[in-house]
Amino acid sequence: MAAWPIRCSKAVFDGSRTYVMGVLNLTPDSFSDGGRYVEPERAVARARELVGQGADLIDVGAESTRPGAEPVEAATEWARLRPVLEALRELPVPISVDTYKAEVAERALGLGVDIINDVSGGRLDARMHGVCAARRAVLIVQHLRGEPRHMQEQVAFDDVYAEVERELGEALAAARAAGVEQLIADPGIGFGKRLEHDLVLLARCGELGASLGAPVLVGPSRKRFLGELTGLPVGERGAATLGAVAAAAERGAGFVRVHDVAAARQALRVAEAIRGATKHTTATRGART
Ligand code: HH2
């Protein structure tokens, strides 16, 4: 199956550059922006702002998946999502919903959402694949062992790249077998991983996508590994996030999931210009010799 394009009702992503997914958390307890967009009006205003900053798509979440976060009932999750998703139908970019519950996914897809972002890769709810297949949704299949709440308690990899590649490959194959036609793979930065694991997965994200036959999305924004590298608290990891974004794009990431869209677009623009110039110089040199 060809990795690109990813076709949504409002956009076609052809892989010609790294796309920016803006994060919109409707939660009271997300690790970096919890509580800021709980009121629907503020959330919708934030979504418009993210689009103005150049977001290619917006990921809306109503349950925090940080380690130790309390799971929420589907009804609570949907009560947070519904008014916001209804208002976001007018936006010019595709919307994804960050949920691992098929019931929530089904309702969201009924409101015109194009993409389901499942941090468990379809593993925590047996109905997820069927719902996405029936609605012809794009499914983001993220790597995660166990449940988000306990994911940092037993982190053990002998060869993180090989193990994530194999487990993601199995998750993608299960989704394809169930009829989900459009898939994006995500190695799950910070999801049951330590610093050294996150670094390997970012460094080899393009290789991972090529081997899995799917575009790769990475979500390094403000995460713990950046704190470990810089010594900075979550609110001061903006510059560190941009380092990860530029490096991941250089290594082949198809999408980056970030809180600060304007800054990520700038970083990507510069990284892409430099990559383009490399090609130009090589071509010029080749032409002269
Ligand atoms: N990271 C978070 C949430 N969802 N989805 C994908 N596909 N990839 C990620 O890396 C990813 C994700 C965690 O970030 P955030 O939404 O800011 O925090 P929280 O889970 O606390 O709401």
Side-chain angles (χ1 to χ4, degrees):
M1 181 183 294
W4 300 100
I6 295 292
R7 289 179 199 282
C8 300
S9 59
K10 292 176 183 167
V12 177
F13 301 113
D14 64 5
S16 56
R17 64 179 171 84
T18 301
Y19 300 102
V20 176
M21 169 188 265
V23 178
L24 179 62
N25 282 321
L26 313 180
T27 48
D29 57 344
S30 284
F31 81 98
S32 83
D33 57 356
R36 292 184 66 181
Y37 308 111
V38 173
E39 288 141 39
E41 301 75 39
R42 291 187 67 177
V44 173
R46 175 63 177 160
R48 291 201 188 104
E49 187 179 32
L50 293 174
V51 172
Q53 291 178 359
D56 295 295
L57 65 167
I58 295 190
D59 188 42
V60 190
E63 172 176 355
S64 172
T65 48
R66 69 181 161 75
E70 281 300 316
V72 299
E73 296 290 323
T76 307
E77 200 178 335
W78 181 244
R80 291 174 184 168
L81 283 166
R82 200 186 68 161
V84 176
L85 295 181
E86 278 171 349
L88 296 191
R89 282 197 275 200
E90 62 164 45
L91 285 191
V93 301
I95 303 296
S96 79
V97 167
D98 189 343
T99 187
Y100 54 84
K101 299 187 193 83
E103 181 185 338
V104 174
E106 193 164 32
R107 289 172 180 237
L109 293 167
L111 281 186
V113 160
D114 283 300
I115 305 169
I116 297 301
N117 174 21
D118 184 339
V119 296
S120 83
R123 203 173 34 75
L124 289 179
D125 190 328
R127 286 184 57 238
M128 183 59 96
H129 290 154
V131 163
C132 290
R135 295 272 183 177
R136 307 185 75 92
V138 178
L139 178 63
I140 301 174
V141 174
Q142 193 200 250
H143 179 270
L144 163 71
R145 287 177 176 169
E147 286 178 37
R149 208 169 14 156
H150 302 295
M151 67 193 175
Q152 291 307 122
E153 289 165 20
Q154 282 189 330
V155 180
F157 292 101
D158 290 323
D159 177 339
V160 68
Y161 178 82
E163 289 168 49
V164 168
E165 183 190 40
R166 190 188 66 242
E167 290 165 26
L168 260 185
E170 289 165 2
L172 290 168
R176 282 179 187 135
V180 186
E181 288 176 3
Q182 299 202 85
L183 294 160
I184 296 172
D186 181 340
I189 301 302
F191 280 79
K193 317 277 175 356
R194 296 198 205 291
L195 169 64
E196 62 272 25
H197 305 136
D198 288 332
L199 296 178
V200 168
L201 294 169
L202 285 166
R204 300 179 67 181
C205 63
E207 186 185 340
L208 184 67
S211 117
L212 295 173
V216 167
L217 179 146
V218 291
S221 194
R222 302 178 183 170
K223 282 190 179 161
R224 189 182 53 249
F225 81 103
L226 299 172
E228 289 175 40
L229 289 172
T230 62
L232 291 169
V234 66
E236 295 171 34
R237 295 179 192 158
T241 298
L242 298 182
V245 161
E250 206 49 39
R251 313 294 294 189
F255 297 85
V256 288
R257 182 182 181 277
V258 294
H259 300 84
D260 189 347
V261 166
R265 280 303 293 254
Q266 287 171 28
L268 288 171
R269 200 182 169 95
V270 173
E272 278 152 19
I274 292 170
R275 195 180 320 135
T278 315
K279 280 187 205 140
H280 178 73
T281 313
T282 314
T284 312
R285 244 196 237 136
R288 278 207 206 109
T289 51

